[in-house]
Amino acid sequence: LQLQLSLLHDALAVSLALNRSLVLPRFSCFCDRSPDGQQPLLANQCKQSSAEAEDFIPFECPFEHLTNPLAWRRHGVELFPSHVQEQVPAIRVVVSSASSRAAFTHQVQGSMSASLPPAVQGERMAEILRKFNAERLLVVPWTSNGEPPIRTFGGFEGEHLKQRLQQLSLALVRTGPAGGWCVHCDQSCEQMLPRAEVDMRFRREPSRVCLNFSAFHLTIGKSV
């Protein structure tokens, strides 16, 4: 989940840097979500009881499992579903760990592609990709194909964008879905969870535990 939230945080940052609407990345869920927060998911292989016979995990995670879409609308962040990537011709950005040069373009299977250095500051990213401002869709990867993953976004230099990203991240990424992500948790459930993990990642409530989204550390990947 920490990886998914880091992906969402950086996607938001890149949309701010480029002053573009955000096409949502695809997320993977490795545990179902109970809308009322009362299902004993942890005792049932992370599945709701009505679906225990189905083998569907991991599955493509609905956006509302990670965050509250209504909050994004209230903050004026325009979102498009992930399948837009399959419907609109795109400029595909490549993160090249071996290059710190300005972007270049070349033909890749008939479409244009651009190259970025890894962990590039948002202002520099906007400068490199300015030549593509008229394009309808830019696809910016979060990691390279290598190990460890290499972040595309390396922060903002200017205070205005730094503060704007921090404000939106706190309000949209670090708050979790409407109603939270909670599971029924009795004594047997608590025995399944390491105490340190519960104290670090969860918020305890009577008869259940809830993920504490504000506790996740969102600096994943290689910083260069």
Side-chain angles (χ1 to χ4, degrees):
L1 183 58
Q2 178 169 287
L3 195 66
Q4 312 281 348
L5 293 175
S6 293
L7 170 60
L8 181 57
H9 171 273
D10 279 11
L12 172 62
V14 170
S15 73
L16 289 176
L18 302 181
N19 193 28
R20 283 176 169 262
S21 300
L22 174 59
V23 177
L24 290 171
R26 284 188 170 86
F27 304 103
S28 295
C29 274
F30 294 86
C31 192
D32 211 341
R33 176 174 175 263
S34 168
D36 62 5
Q38 295 296 337
Q39 287 278 341
L41 296 176
L42 298 180
N44 195 40
Q45 298 180 316
C46 259
K47 301 175 184 178
Q48 295 200 50
S49 57
S50 60
E52 59 186 338
E54 301 174 21
D55 186 15
F56 62 89
I57 293 178
F59 59 95
E60 187 168 331
C61 202
F63 189 50
E64 57 269 21
H65 278 207
L66 297 175
T67 185
N68 182 357
L70 292 178
W72 290 69
R73 295 192 191 100
R74 287 197 299 268
H75 282 80
V77 180
E78 188 173 21
L79 298 172
F80 290 91
S82 59
H83 63 73
V84 166
Q85 297 182 47
E86 301 163 4
Q87 300 172 344
V88 178
I91 297 294
R92 298 194 174 273
V93 178
V94 177
V95 178
S96 173
S97 60
S99 171
S100 60
R101 302 189 303 272
F104 60 89
T105 62
H106 57 92
Q107 291 291 327
V108 178
Q109 295 180 347
S111 65
M112 298 298 288
S113 176
S115 177
L116 286 175
V120 64
Q121 286 190 320
E123 293 88 349
R124 176 61 177 150
M125 182 187 298
E127 179 184 339
I128 290 173
L129 299 178
R130 183 178 294 124
K131 65 183 70 177
F132 301 118
N133 282 352
E135 298 294 333
R136 293 177 63 192
L137 180 63
L138 285 179
V139 179
V140 181
W142 188 59
T143 66
S144 72
N145 293 326
E147 291 294 339
I150 300 174
R151 284 186 95 159
T152 302
F153 175 71
F156 286 117
E157 183 177 3
E159 286 301 318
H160 173 72
L161 285 173
K162 279 183 185 176
Q163 292 176 11
R164 177 63 172 159
L165 177 59
Q166 182 180 36
Q167 174 195 32
L168 290 176
S169 183
L170 287 172
L172 306 177
V173 180
R174 293 179 175 272
T175 54
W181 192 98
C182 304
V183 295
H184 176 76
C185 194
D186 54 18
Q187 186 175 359
S188 62
C189 162
E190 295 211 11
Q191 291 173 354
M192 297 170 57
L193 293 171
R195 177 69 184 228
E197 182 72 13
V198 172
D199 291 343
M200 182 172 59
R201 301 290 191 200
F202 290 85
R203 182 181 70 254
R204 293 176 179 272
E205 295 183 2
S207 77
R208 68 179 191 169
V209 293
C210 301
L211 276 174
N212 181 7
F213 280 78
S214 64
F216 284 94
H217 185 54
L218 302 185
T219 53
I220 303 296
K222 180 181 178 184
S223 179
V224 294

